[in-house]
Structure formats: C-alpha cells, structure tokens
Amino acid sequence: MPDGGPAVEVVGLTKRFGDVEAVRGIDFTVRPGEIFGFLGPNGAGKSTTINMLCTLLRPTSGSARVAGYDVVAERDSVRRNIGLVFQDPTLDGYLSGEQNLRFHAELYGVPRSVTGARIRQVLEMVGLWERRGDLAQTYSGGMKRRLEIARGLLHSPRVLFLDEPTVGLDPQTRASIWEYIRQLQAAEEITIFMTTHYMDEAEFCGRIAIMDSGRIVALDTPEALKAGVGKDRVRIQTADDAAAIAAIKERFDLEAVVSEGAVTFSVASGEAFVPRLFAELGVPIRSVNVARPSLDDVFMSFTGSTIRDAEASASDHMRMAMRAARR
Ligand SMILES: Nc1ncnc2c1ncn2[C@@H]1O[C@H](COP(=O)(O)OP(=O)(O)O)[C@@H](O)[C@H]1O
Ligand SMILES: [Mg+2]
C-alpha cells in the first residue's frame, strides 16, 4: 500500500443480482490502521460489499481499491494483501487447528521456513496454541471463530475483512472475540473492516458506515453519530397506543411510532419533557423510559425504523416472496 494511501477506497460501487440492487452506489474511504465497521440489518448489502472488496464478486459498476490495488484489474495483488473471515464457517472439522492453518499457509504460499513460527504466533494471539492438536470439530463456537481469525492473519495481510465475526455467539464469547480483535489491531498494525448487525458491537469501531437497503445512510465515529441525533428517546406503555400517538401529535406536534411494543418518539431534554407528558397527554401511561441517543436511534433517525424492526420486516418480505414462489 503506498505510504499514507487509504487502506480501502470505494467510489460509486454497485452490485445487481438480476432485479435486486444489493449495493446502490456507495462511496467511502478507510484509513490504514482503522477499525471500520459496516452496520446494518440482514439484507442491507454488507456481505455483498465485502465480497466485492475481496474480489469474490465483480462489481456491476463503480470502483474499489484495497491496499492500493484495484479489485477488478489487480485481483491477485488484492488477494495477497487481505485476510478474510467469512460470515459462514469454513473450517475443516476433520483437521486439527494447526493443520487447518498449515493448509491455508500452503494455499497462500507462505514460505515454509516461516510457517511454523507464524502459526505459533497467531495461535497464541487467539489463545488456541494449547489446543492446536485437537480436531477443529471439537472446538466451541467461539474457538472456531478465533481459529478462523488466526487463519485470516496467517499471511500477514494489510487489511483483515471480518463478515459478522460474532454472529450466533453468546455475549461473553462475543466480548472475548472483540478483545482479540482489538489486541490484534494494536499488535499487527493492520486495518480491520468488519460488518455487524449488533448495535453494541459497532461501538467498538473507530468509524461506522450505517447501511440500509444497499445505501450508506450515515458514516462517522459512533460518538459523532449519536451526538448528531441531539434528542432523547422516550418510550411509553399506554392503555391505547393509537390514541396516544394521535395525542402526542396534537398536543406536542411530535411524531411517535409503535416500535418493539412501545410508543416511541424523540424529543430534546427528555427528562424535562416527561412531567408535561403526564400532565397533558390525556391517555393513561403505564410506564415511561427515557434514554440518551444510542446507535439504534441513529439508525432510526436515518431510516425511520429500528434495526430489529427492519430485520423483522425483511424476513416478512422473504416469507411472502417464498409463499408467492411456491404457488
Ligand atoms: N448471489 C446472490 N444472488 C441473488 N441475490 C443476492 C445474492 N447475494 C445477495 N443477494 C441479495 O442481495 C441483498 C443483500 O444481501 P447481503 O449482501 O447478503 O446483505 P447483508 O450481508 O447485509 O445481510 C439481499 O437482498 C440478498 O438477498
Ligand atoms: Mg451478510
């Protein structure tokens, strides 16, 4: 990578699968050494973007450079400079942890003379050196993921791509994977590009791009994105949600929606607003909750729904499409 050049540079990137426009013209730059995250619900286009950056999918239009190389014209150079951990597991269960890495080292042409030492280094980094001789199929979910991360690092890539590195893992294991990712970024001076649909994980990233329906709707540090919302979120349980929403509109001129089972709206200085709400709403309130802006609110302010609601409606669409296809 030319010194000081971006680790990833994307301009007008799009990908179409037939009628589906999975990625609709995105632009962004990732600096060397950054932990950069793509946050968005299932179906947003995160994996499609990663697959184009890793040269596994050809862009429909636009361009991307990774470690200084063009993902279409310089595929081999891109591949030599990246590590990739796929969304779905790809270990060979019948090989030991160490054998999985040896196989990968050969694929990537890591010189024999350094393979042994490098395998030890990466296995120690993810805490698996003691278990190196055990078959991968005997590892827990978190250990398998750590082994895949070690494998992605083996050939000393400049940029490591992690597609949903913690999906399906329990919260404690997710936290430990994150600990490894952070140590790794400090130790190896590499750029990390990862995707997630967990809001709390996006907080670990230096900057995040929020993706929805193939577009980047916001890109900044988590702090700046939250500060940009500028309002608190108020959630109330009421006896009559429809009446409450109408009253909130009429009395306070605020737009409320039902989200995850509660009437939800944003307002500046939420705590000061609550007494007025009780005094003037005219609809019985059972409970109230006021929260500072979270990344959920950022997502909501840009897309009009929470990431979980977005996923729920995406799976509704899918069910309807499948039902239609079966007819
Ligand atoms: N190989 C493919 N063929 C057809 N459609 C695809 C293919 N891969 C992804 N898609 C569609 O593109 C959209 C984005 O998918 P994806 O990039 O996997 O999203 P994410 O990783 O954010 O969940 C979805 O609508 C998905 O169904
Ligand atoms: Mg995905």
Side-chain angles (χ1 to χ4, degrees), residues 52-75:
M52 287 192 281
L53 296 180
C54 293
T55 78
L56 300 174
L57 268 181
R58 206 187 160 91
T60 304
S61 66
S63 69
R65 300 182 82 80
V66 174
Y69 301 104
D70 186 274
V71 297
V72 176
E74 299 166 295
R75 274 176 67 164

Side-chain angles (χ1 to χ4, degrees), residues 42-43 45-48 87 163-164 195:
N42 283 322
K46 304 182 299 294
S47 293
T48 302
Q87 181 169 340
D163 196 1
E164 309 263 359
T195 71

